[in-house]
Each structure stands twice: as C-alpha cells, then as structure tokens.
Amino acid sequence: MVILGKEAMKKTKHALAAFLAGASLLAGAPALAVAAVSDMPGGPAVNELNFQPPVTKLAEELHSLHNMMLIICLVIFIGVFGVMFYSIFKHRKSKGHQPANFHESTTVEVIWTVVPFVIVILMALPATKTVVAMKDTTNADLTIKVTGYQWKWGYDYLKGDGEGIKFLSTLSTPRSQIDGQEAKSNTYLQEVDNPMVVPVNKKVRLITTANDVIHSFYVPAFGIKQDAIPGFVRDTWFKAEKVGEYRGFCTELCGKEHAYMPVVVKVVSDEDYTKWVDAQKKLMAASADDPNKTYTVAELMERGQKVYASNCAVCHQPNGKGGGAFPALDGGKIVTGPVADHISIVLHGKNAMPNWSHLNDVELAAVITFERNSWSNKTGDVVQPAQVREARGNKSANAGDAANAVRAAKNS
C-alpha cells in the first residue's frame, strides 16, 4: 500500500481534474462550471438517508410505522443471529461438544408458533389502521381529477373552490440542462410550468386515471402514491399542514420520457388560493378557444408553436429532428403528406406516438399547421378546427357503425 503525503494528494487531485476536463473536451462536451449541490426545495436533501419530512398526518403515521417495524426487524435480526453465532462458537466440535439427537420438542414448537404470531399482530394492527385511513376519501373539501399522459399530468378541479379549472403540467427544465449544455439547477427534472395548487389544512381528494399507459402519482411528503390506469378510476387524499412546494414523480415505468414526468404541488394559504382561483378563471375566460372561428395563418402558427413546445418538443425535439422511436418532423412523410393522415395520427396515435385527442380542436389545428409550415416544411397547408372536429366525428361514427354491426351479428 502506498501512502501519499498532502502535497502528493494535492497534485493527484489537480491531475485528475485536468484529465477529466481534457476527456470532456475531446468528447466534444462543453466545459461547464460545477454548481454547488444543495437541497431541493420541497424535494430530497443532500445526503438524506431517511424519508422526506412529512407535512400530513398520513405521512407521519407512515414514518412511525416504518420506524417501529425497522426496530422490530432489527431486534429479530440481532436475536436470531446472536443465538446462532453464540451456538456456533460455544458448542463447536473443536471444544469436544457432541451434537444432540432429538425428534421434537413441544415447548420449542409452541414458542416458535406463538412468538411470530404475536409479532405479526403487533405489526398488522397499526398498519391496518393507517391503510384504512388512507382509503377514507369522504368529506373532502376539494376534489381534483389527475390524469396521466405520456409524459405530463393533467389536473381538473371537479368539486370545491376552483371547480372548472383545468390545465396540463409539463416538465419545465430547459433542454439545454438535460443535454448537458449548461449546469443543472437544484430543481433539475423536478420543476413544472403549471403546478397543482391547493389550500393548506384542507382535505384534497385525488381521482387518478390515465389516457394512454399506466402511470403512478407519488408525493413523498404527503405519504400518497396511487396508480393511474387507463379505463379505471382510483382515488386517494391528503391534507397538507404546511405552506410550501412539494415534489414527487411518476413511479411507474411509462415509456421513453418516464424520468421527465415530475409532480409539483404548491400548498398556499386560503387567501392566496382564492387569488389563484380568480386569476385562473380570468385566464381561462380570456384564452377560451372558439372552435367555430376561421383562424388566420399567423394566429395558428403562433398558437401552434406554444402547443408544440409544451407537448411535442420533448420527443420530436424543438428543431423537429426527432430521436429514437420518434421520427423527424422536419421533412417527415407525415407532416408533408396528406393533411387527413396527419390529423388522424395526432388524434389517434400510432406505435410509440400517443394520441393527443385530449387537446381541443383549436390546439390540434394550430399545432398541425405549425408542423406543416416550420423548419424546412413549406407545404402552405392551413388546418382549421372544423377539419379536426370532422375527423373526430368520423371516428365516432365508424365506432358506432362497428358496434351496430356486432350487435346485428349477435341478433342474427
């Protein structure tokens, strides 16, 4: 073993840093200043070994259960292995001990039946109490529907103050950080453009479902984790007791951008929540889309660019070059081919491409127009909301005709 002095250690560190910097430059990676790592607000802390600090009663109970069961398991571990190693050491053959021969012992049978039973009861009773409490979603002050999409969350305020508000929540970490072109912030991959906002000390019921594949809604500080399954409805609840921002993520492997699907919940005072609700309703009223209007090219392009950045750029790239399973839109066959085919694939999806039918007719018309007239694509095509609405109607009519045909076949 070679022991280095302080000066040698210092030289070694400098040499290693120079080597890594040189390797980075040779690989074509930009030389970035390494930002100091700090705790993430509302998320994990540096060198954190335990759960995140709880801000709900349920999370506190889960922490207590975890600690209690950890202690029970530790006692069992020490007891079992202590007896085993003591027996091996004190009764080893080298000391002249002879193995005992016996068929059974009623006392031992009773002990190793009764003791585990008591342990299971001690663990099951408080766990059952907590699980029952987790499932009690009655008497909620606020009900929010949470829909998982590839790869974002949709929030619909169904009941309580704020009823009627709905929006999508998408990762807002700059692509330049993800691609390593700039230093990462302390909220890297855990920041969104539109967080869920709820009032403090109010019981919030969450109804979860999904539009495409299975997702899972998880916020550690609240002690909640609920799967979001297409075609099914699940529910859970929380009651945050402290104002602040709390972060979670999708805990179900849901596809290519699974790592880029964070959850951010902003807990505010009653007064601030009322202000937020008023602001959201005014914003919704001001930006309400008229599906019967004929939009200009400039209006569709401006709106389409925003829709593309929020929904499409994460897979097809901001420059339309695509990547992996997602083809390039710049010069691609779909965006330069028949308009009807383009509308169909956006509405219904294909292969790795999810369907975007949850966007309204104006948003879909705008983003299709944007894609067909951006980058090197100069088709000159302008898609109006009426065309998207017609495509939706044809799909519904075809589905109805198929259902009628099945019923007729059964009746015959």
Side-chain angles (χ1 to χ4, degrees):
M1 180 182 291
V2 178
I3 301 176
L4 298 177
K6 289 183 179 180
E7 190 62 32
M9 286 290 289
K10 188 182 295 184
K11 290 181 179 179
T12 302
K13 288 180 180 179
H14 287 317
L16 180 59
F19 170 77
L20 292 175
S24 176
L25 291 173
L26 286 173
L32 300 176
V34 179
V37 179
S38 59
D39 294 348
M40 182 181 292
V46 176
N47 298 326
E48 187 174 56
L49 297 178
N50 207 340
F51 295 130
Q52 292 181 23
V55 294
T56 67
K57 292 293 184 186
L58 280 178
E60 288 179 4
E61 290 185 25
L62 291 174
H63 286 211
S64 298
L65 279 172
H66 169 266
N67 294 335
M68 181 196 74
M69 293 188 181
L70 181 63
I71 291 171
I72 291 174
C73 292
L74 184 61
V75 170
I76 293 172
F77 176 86
I78 292 174
V80 171
F81 282 90
V83 171
M84 184 179 75
F85 286 122
Y86 173 81
S87 301
I88 292 172
F89 178 76
K90 295 294 289 185
H91 300 87
R92 61 188 186 276
K93 184 178 180 182
S94 61
K95 295 188 69 173
H97 285 278
Q98 297 295 321
N101 294 308
F102 58 88
H103 179 62
E104 64 183 19
S105 171
T106 303
T107 302
V108 172
E109 294 281 356
V110 171
I111 290 173
W112 70 30
T113 301
V114 173
V115 171
F117 178 77
V118 172
I119 293 172
V120 169
I121 294 298
L122 289 175
M123 297 171 73
L125 286 177
T128 302
K129 178 183 175 183
T130 302
V131 170
V132 170
M134 292 171 67
K135 298 300 180 183
D136 181 15
T137 58
T138 59
N139 302 318
D141 299 300
L142 189 65
T143 300
I144 302 174
K145 177 186 173 187
V146 179
T147 305
Y149 299 99
Q150 289 183 310
W151 290 270
K152 60 180 65 65
W153 296 101
Y155 300 125
D156 294 87
Y157 288 62
L158 302 180
K159 185 179 178 182
D161 193 12
E163 181 176 339
I165 294 175
K166 59 187 301 184
F167 55 88
L168 292 174
S169 180
T170 308
L171 177 73
S172 62
T173 296
R175 195 77 205 186
S176 54
Q177 288 187 21
I178 296 174
D179 295 338
Q181 296 170 351
E182 66 175 84
K184 295 173 172 54
S185 68
N186 67 336
T187 54
Y188 176 68
L189 298 186
Q190 286 279 275
E191 51 199 342
V192 297
D193 51 1
N194 297 308
M196 179 196 293
V197 179
V198 298
V200 71
N201 291 320
K202 299 292 184 181
K203 185 173 182 177
V204 181
R205 181 190 180 204
L206 301 180
I207 300 174
T208 64
T209 187
N211 183 63
D212 32 53
V213 298
I214 299 176
H215 302 277
S216 191
F217 189 87
Y218 177 50
V219 182
F222 295 167
I224 60 170
K225 178 181 178 295
Q226 186 63 62
D227 286 350
I229 306 172
F232 291 86
V233 172
R234 298 288 186 270
D235 67 347
T236 186
W237 69 276
F238 66 89
K239 186 177 181 180
E241 299 176 338
K242 186 179 179 182
V243 170
E245 279 193 345
Y246 303 98
R247 305 176 192 276
F249 40 85
C250 175
T251 53
E252 189 72 39
L253 187 58
C254 58
K256 173 179 175 287
E257 304 292 334
H258 165 68
Y260 306 147
M261 193 173 171
V263 176
V264 179
V265 182
K266 189 174 182 180
V267 181
V268 298
S269 65
D270 289 340
E271 181 181 355
D272 288 341
Y273 181 71
T274 301
K275 292 179 181 178
W276 177 81
V277 168
D278 291 340
Q280 286 295 117
K281 289 189 173 181
K282 289 177 182 177
L283 181 63
M284 290 175 63
S287 61
D289 292 319
D290 182 2
N292 299 312
K293 176 182 173 181
T294 299
Y295 291 83
T296 65
V297 176
E299 289 174 329
L300 290 170
M301 289 294 288
E302 181 182 1
R303 182 67 183 279
Q305 185 175 16
K306 295 177 181 177
V307 176
Y308 183 87
S310 298
N311 300 280
C312 314
V314 70
C315 296
H316 294 289
Q317 307 300 321
N319 58 8
K321 296 300 183 182
F326 298 92
L329 298 182
D330 183 6
K333 293 181 180 179
I334 290 295
V335 295
T336 57
V339 172
D341 293 346
H342 195 171
I343 295 174
S344 177
I345 196 170
V346 172
L347 269 177
H348 311 126
K350 184 179 180 181
N351 299 329
M353 165 84 169
N355 77 76
W356 294 93
S357 58
H358 56 281
L359 297 180
N360 65 39
D361 295 343
V362 177
E363 291 171 319
L364 292 180
V367 75
I368 292 171
T369 300
F370 172 77
E371 291 173 352
R372 300 183 73 83
N373 295 280
S374 296
W375 313 299
S376 66
N377 305 331
K378 306 298 179 184
T379 65
D381 295 326
V382 179
V383 179
Q384 296 293 341
Q387 294 171 262
V388 178
R389 183 168 64 250
E390 182 181 0
R392 288 188 199 264
N394 290 340
K395 180 68 175 181
S396 299
N398 292 337
D401 292 342
N404 290 333
V406 171
R407 282 194 292 269
K410 288 182 178 180
N411 292 333
S412 62

